[in-house]
Amino acid sequence: GRTLPSEKFDMDKKQNTGSPCTGDCRLDSTQEYCLGCWRDADSISRWIMLSPQQRHLALRRRKVNKIKYIGQILDQKNDKES
C-alpha cells in the first residue's frame, strides 16, 4: 500500500502533472508570476495539494500568464514611446 514520495513523483510525471518548476525562480515586476515556470504564487504554494485535474488547469494557465505578462511589457514599451 503506501506510496513512497519518489513513486508519487513518477506517477505525477506519467500523468503529466509533475511540477513545472524550472529552478529559475524569479517573480515578475508585479510579483504576480514566476518568470521560470509562469505559475502564480497560489499555484506554486498549493501545488502538492492540487488534484491532477487542478494541476492540469494550472499548467494550462501558465500559457495565459506568459501572454498577459508579455502584453504588459509591450504596453509599457508603447507608453514610453508615446
Side-chain angles (χ1 to χ4, degrees), residues 14-30:
K14 288 176 187 169
Q15 295 174 5
N16 198 23
T17 57
S19 174
C21 180
T22 62
D24 184 18
C25 306
R26 297 173 288 129
L27 291 178
D28 70 310
S29 59
T30 65

Side-chain angles (χ1 to χ4, degrees), residues 47 53-66:
W47 188 261
Q53 295 82 7
Q54 291 170 318
R55 288 181 181 190
H56 180 73
L57 289 174
L59 291 172
R60 292 188 62 183
R61 276 195 307 268
R62 292 178 334 139
K63 294 176 185 176
V64 173
N65 294 346
K66 186 174 184 177

Side-chain angles (χ1 to χ4, degrees), residues 41-51 54-55 61:
D42 185 55
S43 171
I44 293 168
S45 64
R46 295 181 51 233
W47 188 261
I48 62 171
M49 296 178 282
L50 298 177
S51 70
Q54 291 170 318
R55 288 181 181 190
R61 276 195 307 268

